[in-house]
Amino acid sequence: MTRVSNLGYPRLGEQREWKHLIESYWADKISKEELEKEARALRLSFLQKQADAGVDLIPVGDFSLYDHILDLSVQFGIIPKRFSDQDIDLDLYFALARGNKENVASSMKKWFNTNYHYIVPEWTKKRPQLTNSRLLDLYKEARQVVGDRAKPVITGPITFVALSSGVTDFTAAVKSLLPLYKQVFTELVEAGATYIQVDEPIFVTDEGADYLEAAKAVYGYFAKQVPEAKLIFQTYFEALIDAEELSDIPVAAFGLDFVHGLEENLQAIQAGLFKDKEVFAGVVDGRNVWASDFKETSKLLEVLAENTASLVVQPSCSLLHVPVTTKNETDLDPVLKNGLAFADEKLEEIKLLAEHLDGVANLRYDEHVAAYDALQAADFRNVELEDLSQVRTARKSTYDIRQKVQQERLQLPLLPTTTIGSFPQSPEVRRTRLAWKRGDITDKEYKDFIRSEIARWVTIQEDLDIDVLVHGEFERVDMVEFFGQKLAGFTTTKLGWVQSYGSRAVKPPIIYGDVKHIQPLTVDETVYTQSLTDRPVKGMLTGPITITNWSFERTDIKRSDLFNQIGLAIKDEIKLLEDAGIAIIQVDEAALREGLPLRKGKQKAYLDDAVSAFHIATSSVKDETQIHTHMCYSKFDEIIDAIRQLDADVISIETSRSHGDIIESFETTVYPLGIGLGVYDIHSPRVPTEEEVVANIERSLKQLSAKQFWVNPDCGLKTRREPETIAALEVLVSATKKVRHKLGYE
Ligand code: GLN
Ligand code: ZN
């Protein structure tokens, strides 16, 4: 009988019980004992659910009160110096994640190319040592509920060190952890564990190629020291970076991703590299919300079964990255709903696939195939779209011609000042939106309120003497969800939450059908704003790449086709704004950089597709319409060419936290278009001084011409409070005037 395994289960709970629990503890509403008791109840219910679904190997240790990497750092006693005089307990644990009065938190990073963020382990000179028996305790607890099916999960030493900061000698750091892992494994085996899942996703990245020798040494050591432990060398999100070398390491089994790393991993299998091995095959997408294509997956499983010594069926990665269940999504079109699979449905899928492989007939399998086919055939996936070959993919004129006509129209001063789009969403904004959603106020009352907020901020911006105004985005909770709600092909769920970091969860829209512009998205607010002022108002849209990257996207069409569909929709909106007299339109691509594929070899294709879609969205405008874009990130060098190719008239970039680095990218590369390098950090409530802002501008002007430079904050101001925002913008404007004066203007 083919077994099924799971790699990790969502922590949040169906109704986000986990989030509420942890936040209640933070707010001092419940005691530590209550927190622990409730957390245990949740944990056990997750185990039970997986057991009921027929999972043979159920992950233990994936549950966390904040983040599983932080759990491991604390277990190993890897605690930043600034916290070193505190007892190692729950309060320290949360302080590391969130900071406390005395100390800042550890930094947070994206977990590979997902939207989950882990707390970066900060190494000090102190030698790691076990400070608790967390995994063993959890394992013993789990055995009480699911017995032998419990499978401990731990991040492996090489990935752990590779993701750490403050490591001066990689090999020495890994070595210092080995006795700790050995003890953990030994105790688990003594407590009855057989399989132990050791996550080593670093071995799907380019960086992993540097650690092949380390992998042999480390897993050789474990094989010798704890031979009874059946280690699963688990990777996900891509194929093994070097299957030839890695398939030789002495472990009991390999966990491979046959969804996101299908091509290469399958080649390795077909080349016979795993024919004597046990393989845990990730064949159900653990990162997206779609039901699997059973016909294809069953074929794949047969190939895998033929080419391995033993096969276990599982999702491609931990189910942490998908919502819990589709069961509560009662508002969705049944054709769509039946074509979705969240965590619980994915567990059913792996079970059905394994049974099918064994030749066991199950009606649910056939129902699933029918549901999948119905979704593919649905009208909303077969919409007639504009013919792409008829759409402009380059601006009519070159930048220098555009710049001239735009300047004639806009009459902007040297070093024009502007902001990135959003202004503070005050408690009143949030309260009013909630009242409107609940039906306590009418659509008209809500709209009037948004208008009054816009008008108030037009006055503020004029008083500040900002050159290019924005409407402030008060009507948007989120820059992607807002567009999702108005474009055809998108839907939002009731409870489709996934953990982003700590207790923070996001509810990405689902792109389920062909995307099409069917109604104005932003025209009303933008045109209203422009009617209040003589200064140019910048329209504010989110670009195709960012919309895709922050949604659950379709996988039945090529990604580039999806980018292009959204590009067309944005083009239509731009046309409406342009026709309504809006002279400047910004298309935000905040998530362009973070969508970069893990492997260098795949990055160029992604960037090419991104640039094309941006061109589809923005190239049809007249020369005198100025296209802006905005991106938030600090590492630029790898994608500077793509940024240049976007051919946006003006780009604004988040830079103030790493000023030097970024300017360097632009120093070595000729960037002739308009550019605003953020002159102060909006992530902190601190108001910058005029000297600082002047210095930031002047530093940029060493590499960039004053004729191309714009002055703006780093990013949107949505999360800031009003007083500090106004104070900071006052400084921004006065600093700009000072520099203009020094340059002999004004
Ligand atoms: N226009 C958006 C805003 O200002 C951009 C946000 C972002 O870059 N993340 O909020
Ligand atoms: Zn930004």
Side-chain angles (χ1 to χ4, degrees):
M1 210 185 75
T2 305
R3 284 159 302 161
V4 301
S5 175
N6 186 24
L7 290 81
Y9 189 79
R11 296 162 188 158
L12 277 175
E14 264 179 50
Q15 310 277 343
R16 284 183 297 160
E17 295 88 342
W18 180 85
K19 172 194 174 71
H20 300 133
L21 178 66
I22 287 168
E23 290 179 353
S24 307
Y25 176 71
W26 292 344
D28 273 333
K29 287 189 197 141
I30 58 168
S31 67
K32 188 170 151 189
E33 290 66 37
E34 283 167 300
L35 170 69
E36 274 162 4
K37 185 168 151 255
E38 291 298 317
R40 178 167 191 274
L42 269 181
R43 208 157 55 218
L44 298 187
S45 74
F46 298 162
L47 292 173
Q48 192 60 55
K49 234 177 169 185
Q50 295 176 81
D52 293 347
V55 179
D56 300 297
L57 292 161
I58 300 172
V60 174
D62 55 329
F63 185 90
S64 174
L65 291 176
Y66 198 96
D67 161 46
H68 55 283
I69 296 294
L70 179 60
D71 291 325
L72 209 48
S73 303
V74 171
Q75 185 168 8
F76 292 156
I78 299 172
I79 312 284
K81 248 214 181 94
R82 59 187 181 283
F83 289 97
S84 61
D85 51 3
Q86 256 176 271
D87 290 342
I88 300 184
D89 60 10
L90 190 64
D91 292 328
L92 172 69
Y93 176 82
F94 285 134
L96 290 169
R98 311 170 66 222
N100 59 16
K101 279 203 201 76
E102 297 79 35
N103 292 304
V104 295
S106 285
S107 63
M108 193 164 76
K109 265 204 185 135
K110 278 168 68 74
W111 178 244
F112 297 86
N113 56 355
T114 72
N115 225 332
Y116 177 81
H117 300 70
Y118 68 94
I119 302 293
V120 180
E122 277 182 63
W123 285 61
T124 60
K125 291 232 168 61
K126 197 167 159 264
R127 218 182 152 70
Q129 60 180 75
L130 288 177
T131 68
N132 63 41
S133 52
R134 175 179 176 274
L135 193 54
L136 179 66
D137 301 342
L138 290 172
Y139 179 70
K140 286 183 179 160
E141 172 192 273
R143 279 191 71 93
Q144 310 261 325
V145 186
V146 298
D148 274 345
R149 299 208 226 168
K151 174 191 63 172
V153 177
I154 188 169
T155 302
I158 301 176
T159 297
F160 181 82
V161 175
L163 299 183
S164 295
S165 70
V167 172
T168 44
D169 180 340
F170 184 87
T171 312
V174 171
K175 260 196 185 146
S176 71
L177 291 178
L178 295 186
L180 281 58
Y181 277 92
K182 176 185 159 188
Q183 188 179 334
V184 171
F185 293 159
T186 308
E187 288 171 357
L188 286 169
V189 168
E190 280 165 7
T194 50
Y195 287 104
I196 300 174
Q197 175 186 320
V198 187
D199 287 358
E200 287 283 19
I202 199 71
F203 287 102
V204 307
T205 66
D206 296 308
E207 187 188 342
D210 299 340
Y211 307 137
L212 298 176
E213 290 311 312
K216 285 181 201 161
V218 165
Y219 289 88
Y221 169 90
F222 292 149
K224 214 157 120 209
Q225 300 286 327
V226 207
E228 310 83 356
K230 297 183 79 170
L231 302 188
I232 309 161
F233 183 82
Q234 180 65 54
T235 54
Y236 34 78
F237 304 147
E238 250 296 351
L240 280 178
I241 185 72
D242 189 336
E244 190 103 27
E245 291 285 325
L246 289 167
S247 58
D248 266 350
I249 65 170
V251 287
F254 290 85
L256 303 175
D257 184 336
F258 292 98
V259 177
H260 297 278
L262 176 63
E263 206 179 318
E264 283 176 47
N265 275 344
L266 185 58
Q267 266 171 22
I269 290 278
Q270 283 173 325
L273 293 176
F274 293 89
K275 65 177 183 311
D276 312 321
K277 320 270 179 193
E278 178 159 68
V279 169
F280 282 56
V283 293
V284 162
D285 193 347
R287 294 186 54 174
N288 210 332
V289 292
W290 304 108
S292 304
D293 179 350
F294 270 13
K295 287 185 213 149
E296 281 300 314
T297 312
S298 288
K299 265 193 248 160
L300 170 66
L301 282 171
E302 272 167 35
V303 176
L304 298 180
E306 271 164 35
N307 290 286
T308 52
S310 163
L311 191 69
V312 179
V313 180
Q314 64 178 10
S316 68
C317 60
S318 166
L319 300 176
L320 183 64
H321 309 291
V322 288
V324 179
T325 172
T326 62
K327 191 177 77 192
N328 305 311
E329 302 302 331
T330 44
D331 292 347
L332 295 179
D333 175 340
V335 173
L336 171 58
K337 188 181 168 198
N338 295 332
L340 290 172
F342 297 174
D344 288 350
E345 291 74 30
K346 287 180 195 292
L347 295 180
E348 188 193 17
E349 286 193 341
I350 53 171
K351 188 75 190 163
L352 290 171
L353 285 162
E355 283 177 1
H356 186 84
L357 185 64
D358 293 339
V360 179
N362 187 330
L363 200 63
R364 284 289 300 138
Y365 185 97
D366 304 319
E367 280 172 11
H368 185 287
V369 171
Y372 178 88
D373 291 343
L375 176 61
Q376 310 318 318
D379 291 348
F380 52 71
R381 287 201 164 186
N382 299 284
V383 173
E384 185 149 355
L385 297 168
E386 191 177 345
D387 181 1
L388 263 184
S389 65
Q390 302 302 308
V391 176
R392 289 197 67 92
T393 50
R395 294 289 293 267
K396 291 185 196 82
S397 307
T398 54
Y399 173 67
D400 40 320
I401 297 175
R402 292 175 349 231
Q403 192 190 23
K404 237 178 250 140
V405 289
Q406 288 166 15
Q407 183 54 17
E408 268 160 32
R409 178 179 186 189
L410 296 167
Q411 300 287 326
L412 294 169
L414 190 79
L415 304 175
T417 53
T418 189
T419 59
I420 305 303
S422 59
F423 284 129
Q425 299 227 337
S426 61
E428 202 193 349
V429 171
R430 278 178 270 141
R431 221 179 309 122
T432 312
R433 183 185 301 121
L434 208 65
W436 170 63
K437 280 194 176 154
R438 283 211 198 102
D440 297 348
I441 61 169
T442 63
D443 289 358
K444 166 126 188 11
E445 283 169 314
Y446 179 61
K447 194 170 158 186
D448 288 347
F449 169 77
I450 296 287
R451 286 196 167 202
S452 68
E453 200 62 9
I454 290 175
R456 199 167 67 78
W457 271 94
V458 166
T459 310
I460 295 174
Q461 294 175 85
E462 286 186 330
D463 291 348
L464 284 164
D465 201 13
I466 292 177
D467 302 307
V468 171
L469 311 195
V470 295
H471 77 282
E473 302 181 27
F474 304 108
E475 75 289 5
R476 306 180 192 176
V477 182
D478 177 280
M479 64 190 284
V480 170
E481 188 192 45
F482 176 79
F483 290 87
Q485 280 161 347
K486 296 194 175 199
L487 291 167
F490 283 76
T491 191
T492 42
T493 57
K494 279 203 248 177
L495 292 169
W497 298 96
V498 288
Q499 188 186 358
S500 170
Y501 63 89
S503 69
R504 209 15 212 278
V506 294
K507 195 152 63 85
I510 296 177
I511 308 178
Y512 68 92
D514 290 327
V515 177
K516 202 168 176 175
H517 187 275
I518 44 170
Q519 58 180 318
L521 309 169
T522 61
V523 177
D524 191 72
E525 291 88 0
T526 316
V527 170
Y528 173 70
T529 313
Q530 187 65 80
S531 76
L532 302 174
T533 178
D534 294 333
R535 300 178 187 228
V537 169
K538 179 164 68 166
M540 197 55 60
L541 306 172
T542 304
I545 315 310
T546 300
I547 291 183
T548 306
N549 283 340
W550 286 346
S551 301
F552 284 119
E553 63 192 84
R554 283 171 74 177
T555 48
D556 60 306
I557 58 173
K558 281 202 310 228
R559 199 153 197 244
S560 55
D561 289 342
L562 177 57
F563 287 171
N564 293 345
Q565 287 186 2
I566 306 175
L568 283 175
I570 298 300
K571 172 185 74 73
D572 291 350
E573 180 69 10
I574 292 178
K575 174 87 171 108
L576 294 182
L577 290 171
E578 196 178 38
D579 289 350
I582 302 300
I584 306 183
I585 298 158
Q586 177 169 311
V587 180
D588 286 328
E589 282 294 14
L592 188 134
R593 168 67 176 72
E594 68 175 52
L596 209 58
L598 283 174
R599 293 277 185 83
K600 287 229 162 52
K602 294 186 176 170
Q603 293 176 355
K604 186 174 180 309
Y606 163 81
L607 290 170
D608 287 349
D609 291 344
V611 169
S612 301
F614 191 85
H615 285 168
I616 288 169
T618 59
S619 298
S620 297
V621 296
K622 297 181 224 141
D623 282 350
E624 72 236 44
T625 300
Q626 189 168 75
I627 296 291
H628 287 218
T629 187
H630 165 73
M631 293 178 194
C632 1
Y633 41 76
S634 36
K635 272 188 79 190
F636 241 99
D637 31 336
E638 330 151 70
I639 62 163
I640 183 78
D641 288 341
I643 294 192
R644 168 68 189 88
Q645 284 167 31
L646 292 177
D647 200 26
D649 297 302
V650 180
I651 185 170
S652 61
I653 298 167
E654 172 178 322
T655 50
S656 54
R657 279 182 297 182
S658 53
H659 221 81
D661 291 2
I662 297 209
I663 297 182
E664 229 157 72
S665 322
F666 285 95
E667 193 176 37
T668 43
T669 319
V670 191
Y671 193 84
L673 288 73
I675 178 164
L677 301 178
V679 296
Y680 77 87
D681 179 9
I682 61 94
H683 301 87
S684 146
R686 188 174 162 271
V687 176
T689 65
E690 192 179 281
E691 293 72 48
E692 282 165 11
V693 177
V694 167
N696 277 344
I697 299 174
E698 289 184 333
R699 194 152 157 205
S700 300
L701 292 183
K702 285 194 183 132
Q703 268 86 35
L704 296 161
S705 137
K707 291 220 166 67
Q708 71 181 134
F709 198 72
W710 284 63
V711 181
N712 48 257
D714 244 350
C715 192
L717 298 161
K718 185 170 163 176
T719 54
R720 294 269 63 89
R721 285 172 337 121
E722 185 164 322
E724 76 217 21
T725 300
I726 295 177
L729 290 174
E730 240 163 44
V731 172
L732 178 144
V733 173
S734 68
T736 306
K737 288 182 177 167
K738 204 160 242 174
V739 179
R740 281 179 193 153
H741 187 74
K742 283 205 216 170
L743 292 171
Y745 290 79
E746 259 181 343

